């Protein structure tokens, strides 16, 4: 008799950009300018014998250094032959500021008009000038609060020009030492009138050759721009004060232009080589004088107003970045924003082609917005009783102007700007603004299929959105997100974008989802990846795509709505039919769904759930044959059969197991593993052992006879073409013996709840046991015949290994009280040790085990057997 075998069953992805697009047609023409160029050449302006290196004769009587404003001093026309002092020469009326007046009368209105046309031509008639925005700002930003203004004290009457020349440097310091007065309680109109008075004073001072006074007015106005005591009025204050700064800049530029017309007028398209040394030195002196101012705004705005002077020198490319960096030192974000707007105004006048500084200027502006939430700004708003939304509107004129400047004539650069804007919007705003950005990109990039030349930038947009949006229900609720994806019409790029979305989804989607928005969008994205697969697609690429799609499938859960889950798997099977790993995952998902149904019903199915698990089995049974991998089919047939058996679907389980047995002859003798051919025997043996363990609990079909699945499996093993010099077939026979031993027991080691195994069907019937014994004898006979054949072939090592394996089965599962069986066991032991190929350590442990078993009352018969088992040395 045989006894039991210990085996077990295993079951397992606005802010709207305004860009002025210019259609390039014929060359632009300015007929007034062309007519002006055709006129006779103007007469050269005579400057006398002036030369910057010529010695200068001092004609003013020196006064003591201590004389300050309000004092008078006599002057004489006496000359001196003393060698000139290079420092005192700056005080004789021929310094750069004083020289402006000497030639100011030579400028004609036509010259100024010509230069104005040149400026307009530089940016084009399609550019909206600041003058068109001025009135709107003044009308919008008003206040009823009382304003104040700092006014310079009037100079003492009767002061001679020569005296002011002599004390020029001291007077520049007066402005910082109290020579000013503050006018309080001014209404908005009074304030505007006072600013206009300053503007007129500037023009009068310049016309009367009081250049220092004009500069002091500019410095005074620059300081006023730091005052935000009535913050609602600041945009209008900026407009009024920069009018004065603009006036000063034009006066200085026109003066230098006049100086350059020696001996003939400077051409409109002049270069630095066309500028004479006098004008160059005057420009340099002017910039050096401004650089000596200590306060930031007075040192910043005068160079901005005079930035056009750089056209007479070199270095405009270096000047704009330097001034941009200076603005970073302004502490108040509102003051800094309008300083940047003024820099953009100047930049568009002097160098509209240099956009890098303007772009950098704008990004600096964005960086200062964090200051708005700071303590300094918030305290200021509390003191002035201004709400944050109202405060933010004060920035709109500056931002609007800066945007116009950086976007002007930039349709070939739109997507580059949008790419940056997306990150800013994602970081600081919501999906509504991001959706607006996407809609605007679609609007600009769809015409003429412009998106085909911007795939890298569009991909960057997707990556930045995915960096900040990990909630895919929010991401896919953007109306323009999927239409944005539709612009990726190049297959390789489209798949790469979908891949990046899937990677982020798998990484950040922690909870299972049933959100229809997410499911529909992700199915669309996964289908895009799947449809890219063709006959030329590499296997590694297929595996990579399948892993991403499987990650999505595993994240889908409809909770207790099992029917909806099965419907999803049906749809997914049709959608992803070309990727075999995805089909495998779907089968596992459906099997898991069936087991979850069993768990919920606690093993007792209702009519509805029983029909459902049968539908799950049908899904797997239909899907498995479409797999090309034979081992995938084998393992899934077996697994699905186990699941069906656990859910009391006996006919479905039987069909799965029969299908598994029927395809065994299709197993190839070798398979490719990681690019290398390997024998398939080990994989096949693992499957058969698992299959045999399952057969213990599978009841015989009433129409197919006793042990029909076991016999069918063994027949397939018998007919299978094994490798030459292989012992795999007899090892299958050896593995089948423990199964038969287990089947002969009155009570099986394990069973499936609510499923009657053969132990219940046959109840120890003698005919059933007789069939088992006959089958065991047949198998043992086949094994012994194989051992004899190995002996004839002198394959002693293989012979010893097979013999020892069969000995172990007889020892564990055979009744060695049977003399013939006991003698067979002893013969197998001796045969395994005959040629010294058996490991001594294993043999010793086996003997110790037998001796230990012999001490049990029911196993005393092993005592005689163990005495007949001897160890033989390898020699």
């Amino acid at each position: 008799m045989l006894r039991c075998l210990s085996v077990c069953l295993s079951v397992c992805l606005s802010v709207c950009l305004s860009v002025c697009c210019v259609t390039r047609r014929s060359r632009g023409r300015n007929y007034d300018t062309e007519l002006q160029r055709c006129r006779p050449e103007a007469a050269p302006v005579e400057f006398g014998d002036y030369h910057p290196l010529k010695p200068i004769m001092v004609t003013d009587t020196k006064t003591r250094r201590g004389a300050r404003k309000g004092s008078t001093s006599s002057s004489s026309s006496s000359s001196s032959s003393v060698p000139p002092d290079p420092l005192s020469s700056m005080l004789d009326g021929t310094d750069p500021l004083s020289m402006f007046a000497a030639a100011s009368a030579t400028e004609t209105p036509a010259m100024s008009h010509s230069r104005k046309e040149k400026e307009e031509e530089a940016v084009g008639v399609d550019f909206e000038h600041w003058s068109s925005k001025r009135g709107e700002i003044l009308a919008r930003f008003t206040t009823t609060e009382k304003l104040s203004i700092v006014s310079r004290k009037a100079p003492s009457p009767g002061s001679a020009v020569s005296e002011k020349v002599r004390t020029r440097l001291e007077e520049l310091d007066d402005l910082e030492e109290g020579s000013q007065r503050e006018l309080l309680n001014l209404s908005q109109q009074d304030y505007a009138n006072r600013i206009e008075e300053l503007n007129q004073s500037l023009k009068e001072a310049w016309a009367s050759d009081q250049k220092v006074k004009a500069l002091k007015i500019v410095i005074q106005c620059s300081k006023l721009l730091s005052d935000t005591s009535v913050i609602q009025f600041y945009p209008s204050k900026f407009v009024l004060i920069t009018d004065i700064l603009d006036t000063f800049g034009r006066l200085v530029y026109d003066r230098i232009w006049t100086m350059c017309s020696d001996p003939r007028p400077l051409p409109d398209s002049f270069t630095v080589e066309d500028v004479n040394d006098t004008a160059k030195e005057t420009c340099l002196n002017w910039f050096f004088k401004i650089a000596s101012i200590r306060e930031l705004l007075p040192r910043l705005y005068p160079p901005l107003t005079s930035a056009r002077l750089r056209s007479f020198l070199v270095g405009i490319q270096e000047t704009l970045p330097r001034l941009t960096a200076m603005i970073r030192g302004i502490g108040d974000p509102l003051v800094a924003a309008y300083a940047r707007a003024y820099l953009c105004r100047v930049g568009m006048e002097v160098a509209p082609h240099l956009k890098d500084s303007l772009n950098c200027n704008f990004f600096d502006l964005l960086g200062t917005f964090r200051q708005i939430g700071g303590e300094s700004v918030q305290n200021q708003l509390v003191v002035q009783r201004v709400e944050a939304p109202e405060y933010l509107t004060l920035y709109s004129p500056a931002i609007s102007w800066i945007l116009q400047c950086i976007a002007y004539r930039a349709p070939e650069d739109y997507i580059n700007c949008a790419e940056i804007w997306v990150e800013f919007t994602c970081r600081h705003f919501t999906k509504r603004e991001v959706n607006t950005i996407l809609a605007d990109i679609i609007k600009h990039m769809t015409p003429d299929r412009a998106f085909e030349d911007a795939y890298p930038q569009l991909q960057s947009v997707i990556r930045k959105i995915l960096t900040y949006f990990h909630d895919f229900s929010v991401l896919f609720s953007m109306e323009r997100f999927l239409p944005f994806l539709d612009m990726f019409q190049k297959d390789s790029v489209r798949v790469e974008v979908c891949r990046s979305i899937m990677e982020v989804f798998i990484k950040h989607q922690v909870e299972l989802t049933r959100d229809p928005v997410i499911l529909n969008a992700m199915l669309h994205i996964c289908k895009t990846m799947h449809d890219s697969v063709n006959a030329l697609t590499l296997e590694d690429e297929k595996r990579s795509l399948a892993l991403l799609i499987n990650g999505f499938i595993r994240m889908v859960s409809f909770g207790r709505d099992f029917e909806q889950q099965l419907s999803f798997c049906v749809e997914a099977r049709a959608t992803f039919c070309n990727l075999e790993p995805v089909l495998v995952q779907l089968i596992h998902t459906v099997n898991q769904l069936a087991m979850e149904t069993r768990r919920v019903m606690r093993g007792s199915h209702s009519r509805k759930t029983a029909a459902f698990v049968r539908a799950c089995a049908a899904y797997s049974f239909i899907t498995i044959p479409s797999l090309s991998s034979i081992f995938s089919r084998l393992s899934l047939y077996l697994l699905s059969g186990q699941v069906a058996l656990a859910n009391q679907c006996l006919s479905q389980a039987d069909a799965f197991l029969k299908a598994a047995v029927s395809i065994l002859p299709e197993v190839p003798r070798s398979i490719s593993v990681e690019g290398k051919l390997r024998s398939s025997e080990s994989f096949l043996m693992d499957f058969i052992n698992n299959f045999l363990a399952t057969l213990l609990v599978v009841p015989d079909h009433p129409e197919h006879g006793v042990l029909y699945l076991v016999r069918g499996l063994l027949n397939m093993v018998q007919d299978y073409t094994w490798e030459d010099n292989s012992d795999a077939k007899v090892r299958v026979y050896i593995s089948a013996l423990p199964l038969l031993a287990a089947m002969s027991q009155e009570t099986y080691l394990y069973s499936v709840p609510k499923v009657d195994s053969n132990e219940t069907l046959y109840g120890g019937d003698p005919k059933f046991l007789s069939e088992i014994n006959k089958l065991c004898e047949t198998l043992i006979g086949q094994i012994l015949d194989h051992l004899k054949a190995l002996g004839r072939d002198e394959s002693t090592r293989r012979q010893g290994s097979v013999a020892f394996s069969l000995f172990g089965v007889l020892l564990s599962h055979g009744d060695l009280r049977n003399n013939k069986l006991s003698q067979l066991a002893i013969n197998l032991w001796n045969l395994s040790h005959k040629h010294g190929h058996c490991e001594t350590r294993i043999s010793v442990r086996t003997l110790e085990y037998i001796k230990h078993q012999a001490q049990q009352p029911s196993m005393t018969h092993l005592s005689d057997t163990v005495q007949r088992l001897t160890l033989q040395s390898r020699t």
Side-chain angles (χ1 to χ4, degrees):
M1 295 296 293
L2 300 177
R3 64 187 184 85
C4 69
L5 166 67
S6 299
V7 288
C8 58
L9 176 64
S10 308
V11 182
C12 356
L13 160 44
S14 121
V15 178
C16 181
L17 295 180
S18 300
V19 177
C20 301
C21 298
V22 178
T23 304
R24 300 191 178 278
R25 299 182 293 269
S26 59
R27 177 177 64 87
R29 300 287 298 274
N30 190 320
Y31 296 108
D32 291 339
T33 302
E34 293 180 15
L35 180 61
Q36 182 70 23
R37 292 174 180 171
C38 293
R39 290 177 180 174
E41 206 174 75
V45 179
E46 299 293 337
F47 286 94
D49 295 331
Y50 175 79
H51 188 277
L53 299 181
K54 182 179 179 180
I56 303 175
M57 304 304 293
V58 181
T59 58
D60 291 338
T61 302
K62 300 296 182 291
T63 60
R64 57 186 180 87
R65 179 81 175 170
R68 306 291 295 195
K69 63 180 184 330
S71 63
T72 59
S73 61
S74 59
S75 61
S76 65
S77 59
S78 61
S79 62
S80 172
S81 60
V82 179
D85 184 351
L87 294 179
S88 63
S89 65
M90 299 301 296
L91 306 176
D92 67 345
T94 59
D95 62 285
L97 290 179
S98 297
M99 289 181 62
F100 292 155
S104 61
T106 63
E107 181 185 26
T108 65
M111 294 170 60
S112 178
H113 179 68
S114 175
R115 285 193 299 275
K116 181 178 181 182
E117 288 180 343
K118 179 183 178 181
E119 295 166 8
E120 293 181 353
E121 188 178 6
V123 294
V125 295
D126 57 330
F127 185 79
E128 186 179 4
H129 289 270
W130 176 258
S131 58
S132 63
K133 299 179 178 293
R134 181 181 180 278
E136 177 186 350
I137 297 175
L138 292 175
R140 178 181 176 188
F141 298 95
T142 61
T143 184
T144 58
E145 299 287 336
K146 295 300 181 180
L147 305 168
S148 63
I149 189 170
V150 177
S151 175
R152 188 180 65 85
K153 293 182 181 180
S156 301
S159 59
V161 173
S162 59
E163 181 183 39
K164 286 185 288 183
V165 170
R166 266 187 271 112
T167 60
R168 183 163 292 157
L169 294 177
E170 289 85 348
E171 286 185 348
L172 285 176
D173 291 332
D174 287 346
L175 191 61
E176 301 177 3
E177 296 178 2
S179 62
Q180 47 192 327
R181 57 192 176 93
E182 186 174 14
L183 301 179
L184 304 175
N185 298 323
L186 298 176
S187 67
Q188 178 176 323
Q189 186 60 45
D190 293 337
Y191 190 91
N193 293 338
R194 181 54 189 159
I195 294 296
E196 180 58 30
E197 291 176 9
L198 285 175
N199 199 2
Q200 294 300 323
S201 297
L202 171 66
K203 295 177 182 178
E204 293 171 0
W206 191 267
S208 60
D209 200 23
Q210 299 183 57
K211 304 302 186 298
V212 173
K213 177 181 178 181
L215 178 58
K216 290 167 72 175
I217 293 174
V218 171
I219 295 174
Q220 176 187 350
C221 292
S222 300
K223 287 188 174 183
L224 290 176
L225 289 174
S226 65
D227 178 22
T228 58
S229 56
V230 184
I231 202 166
Q232 305 97 317
F233 185 64
Y234 190 85
S236 294
K237 176 193 286 189
F238 173 80
V239 170
L240 295 172
I241 292 178
T242 52
D243 285 346
I244 300 178
L245 301 180
D246 294 342
T247 299
F248 183 72
R250 285 193 297 270
L251 291 172
V252 176
Y253 182 82
D254 291 346
R255 182 69 186 94
I256 302 299
W257 177 274
T258 304
M259 296 177 64
C260 293
S261 300
D262 181 22
R264 60 179 143 219
L266 202 62
D268 288 340
S269 57
F270 66 90
T271 62
V272 176
E273 288 74 15
D274 298 325
V275 181
N276 57 40
D277 292 338
T278 303
K280 290 181 180 178
E281 183 180 11
T282 303
C283 290
L284 287 174
N285 287 340
W286 163 244
F287 285 116
F288 292 156
K289 192 178 294 293
I290 294 175
S292 66
I293 301 174
R294 290 176 292 184
E295 296 187 34
L296 179 56
L297 289 182
R299 192 168 69 250
L300 172 67
Y301 274 99
L304 284 175
T305 63
S306 307
R308 286 190 300 166
L309 295 182
R310 286 289 179 180
S311 59
F312 301 109
L313 301 170
V314 293
I316 187 63
Q317 292 85 351
E318 293 80 11
T319 301
L320 290 179
R322 180 177 60 83
L323 295 176
T324 300
M326 287 178 63
I327 297 178
R328 296 170 186 165
I330 301 177
D332 191 302
L334 184 63
V335 176
Y338 279 88
R340 292 186 172 96
Y342 194 73
L343 184 143
C344 287
R345 283 180 55 190
V346 173
M348 292 302 292
E349 291 180 7
V350 301
H353 58 287
L354 298 178
K355 289 294 185 70
D356 290 343
S357 296
L358 303 185
N359 294 336
C360 181
N361 192 31
F362 177 68
F363 294 128
D364 284 348
L365 171 64
L366 298 181
T368 61
F369 276 129
R370 65 172 64 95
Q371 294 178 255
I372 295 175
E375 182 179 357
S376 176
V377 173
Q378 293 301 314
N379 290 341
Q380 184 182 22
L381 298 183
V382 170
V383 171
Q384 299 197 38
R385 298 179 180 179
V386 176
E387 297 294 333
E390 181 184 2
Y391 173 71
L392 291 176
T393 61
L394 302 178
Y395 288 85
S396 58
I399 295 178
S400 176
W401 176 259
I402 295 174
L403 281 177
Q404 177 185 341
C405 293
I406 64 176
Y408 178 66
R409 286 186 178 176
E412 289 158 358
D413 295 332
Y414 168 82
I415 190 59
N416 294 327
C417 297
E419 176 188 351
I420 304 301
W421 265 105
V422 164
E423 181 172 8
F424 172 75
T425 310
C426 291
R427 178 179 295 181
H428 299 289
F429 295 92
T430 66
K431 70 171 187 177
R432 176 177 175 271
E433 290 75 20
V434 176
N435 189 65
T436 303
I437 288 283
L438 295 180
D440 196 65
I441 294 176
I442 295 172
K443 174 184 175 182
H444 283 84
M445 302 307 295
T446 301
D448 300 326
R449 301 178 65 87
F451 54 79
E452 293 181 343
D453 298 323
Y455 283 141
Q457 294 88 340
L458 296 176
Q459 285 181 272
S460 177
V461 169
I462 288 291
R463 286 194 296 268
K464 290 175 180 178
I465 293 177
L466 294 174
T467 300
Y468 294 95
F469 284 85
H470 297 156
D471 188 341
F472 281 79
S473 61
V474 174
L475 181 66
F476 292 134
S477 64
M478 298 180 193
E479 296 179 0
R480 310 312 298 172
F481 185 78
L482 292 181
F484 182 85
L485 293 183
D486 290 339
M487 288 196 296
F488 295 97
Q489 297 188 8
K490 184 178 180 181
D491 289 342
S492 60
V493 179
R494 188 181 184 89
V495 172
E496 189 64 29
V497 170
C498 292
R499 184 196 296 272
S500 63
I501 295 174
M502 289 302 305
E503 289 173 350
V504 175
F505 177 82
I506 293 173
K507 180 178 180 181
H508 295 283
Q509 185 71 28
V510 178
E511 298 180 353
L512 302 178
T513 182
R514 60 183 300 175
D515 189 331
V517 174
I518 294 180
L519 296 186
N520 291 334
M522 294 305 294
L523 278 173
H524 173 76
I525 291 172
C526 290
K527 186 177 186 305
T528 299
M529 295 192 298
H530 169 270
D531 292 348
S532 68
V533 175
N534 53 46
L536 299 179
T537 305
L538 299 176
E539 289 300 320
D540 287 345
E541 177 71 8
K542 291 181 181 179
R543 281 193 294 269
S544 177
L545 296 176
L547 283 175
L548 294 175
I549 297 175
N550 287 343
F552 161 64
I553 293 174
R554 286 192 292 267
M555 296 306 300
V556 177
S557 174
F558 290 87
R560 291 291 184 92
D561 192 348
F562 295 156
E563 292 182 352
Q564 185 66 29
Q565 186 85 30
L566 182 58
S567 298
F568 168 79
C569 291
V570 172
E571 180 183 1
R573 179 178 62 187
T575 304
F576 309 124
C577 58
N578 291 332
L579 287 176
E580 187 163 305
V582 178
L583 297 179
V584 172
Q585 176 62 45
L586 288 171
I587 295 172
H588 284 303
T589 300
V590 171
N591 284 333
Q592 185 178 3
L593 184 60
M595 295 304 293
E596 181 66 13
T597 305
R598 178 181 182 275
R599 184 190 68 80
V600 172
M601 298 303 294
R602 298 181 180 179
S604 299
H605 284 294
S606 65
R607 179 177 297 179
K608 181 178 181 180
T609 59
F612 177 76
V613 294
R614 287 196 295 270
C616 292
Y619 178 97
S620 299
F621 194 78
I622 294 172
T623 309
I624 292 174
S626 64
L627 303 178
S628 62
S629 171
I630 182 66
F631 283 102
S632 294
R633 280 185 279 158
L634 284 172
S635 62
L636 288 173
Y637 272 135
L638 178 58
L639 178 62
S640 300
Q642 293 169 343
V643 171
L645 193 64
N647 283 280
Q648 303 109 53
C649 301
L650 299 184
S651 60
Q652 286 78 11
D654 190 70
F656 279 118
L657 297 179
K658 285 172 60 177
V661 172
S662 67
I663 65 173
L664 281 177
E666 300 178 20
V667 177
R669 297 175 63 179
S670 61
I671 58 175
S672 177
V673 179
E674 296 180 353
K676 297 181 179 179
L677 285 179
R678 292 181 53 184
S679 173
S680 62
E681 281 190 0
S682 60
F683 299 96
L684 184 56
M685 291 293 294
D686 288 341
F687 167 76
I688 292 176
N689 288 334
N690 194 356
F691 192 92
L692 290 171
T694 304
L695 290 180
L696 177 64
V697 294
V698 178
D700 284 339
H701 197 285
E703 298 179 359
H704 296 92
V706 179
L707 303 178
Y708 85 101
L709 282 175
V710 177
R711 296 179 187 277
L713 175 64
L714 294 176
N715 289 335
M716 287 297 178
V717 172
Q718 176 71 27
D719 297 337
Y720 183 76
T721 305
W722 300 92
E723 289 188 11
D724 297 336
N725 302 321
S726 172
D727 302 321
K729 181 169 67 175
V730 296
R731 290 192 178 278
V732 171
Y733 294 161
I734 294 173
S735 297
L737 292 174
L739 168 65
L740 296 173
M743 284 183 168
S744 68
Q745 306 303 310
E746 294 182 359
T747 303
Y748 287 179
L749 178 62
Y750 52 86
S751 62
V752 177
K754 300 185 182 301
V755 174
D756 292 333
S757 301
N758 284 342
E759 61 175 334
T760 304
L761 295 180
Y762 298 112
D765 185 90
K767 294 182 179 180
F768 176 65
L769 297 179
S770 176
E771 291 294 328
I772 292 177
N773 287 332
K774 290 180 180 179
L775 189 55
C776 288
E777 291 176 0
T778 302
L779 293 177
I780 292 175
Q782 292 284 340
I783 298 170
L784 294 178
D785 289 343
H786 184 70
L787 288 173
K788 294 178 182 178
L790 291 176
R792 290 193 299 268
D793 296 339
E794 297 184 354
S795 300
T796 55
R797 182 179 296 277
R798 290 168 55 197
Q799 185 187 52
S801 176
V802 173
F804 193 80
S805 296
L806 181 56
F807 170 81
V809 169
L810 295 179
L811 179 66
S812 300
H813 306 288
D815 186 359
L816 297 186
R817 288 176 295 188
N818 183 294
N819 291 331
K820 291 183 178 181
L821 199 60
S822 176
Q823 186 61 45
L824 176 60
I826 293 171
N827 292 339
L828 290 171
W829 172 273
N830 294 332
L831 181 62
S832 65
H833 289 75
K834 180 178 179 180
H835 300 285
H837 296 305
C838 193
E839 292 189 15
T840 304
R841 183 179 59 178
I842 296 178
S843 299
V844 171
R845 287 185 178 181
T846 302
L847 287 176
E848 291 176 352
Y849 168 77
I850 298 173
K851 292 177 183 179
H852 176 74
Q853 290 292 100
Q855 296 176 2
Q856 299 183 19
S858 61
M859 305 292 287
T860 54
H861 60 279
L862 292 179
S863 299
D864 295 335
T865 303
V866 73
Q867 292 176 0
R868 302 171 63 185
L869 301 179
T870 59
L871 293 176
Q872 299 179 5
S873 82
R874 294 177 180 272
T875 60

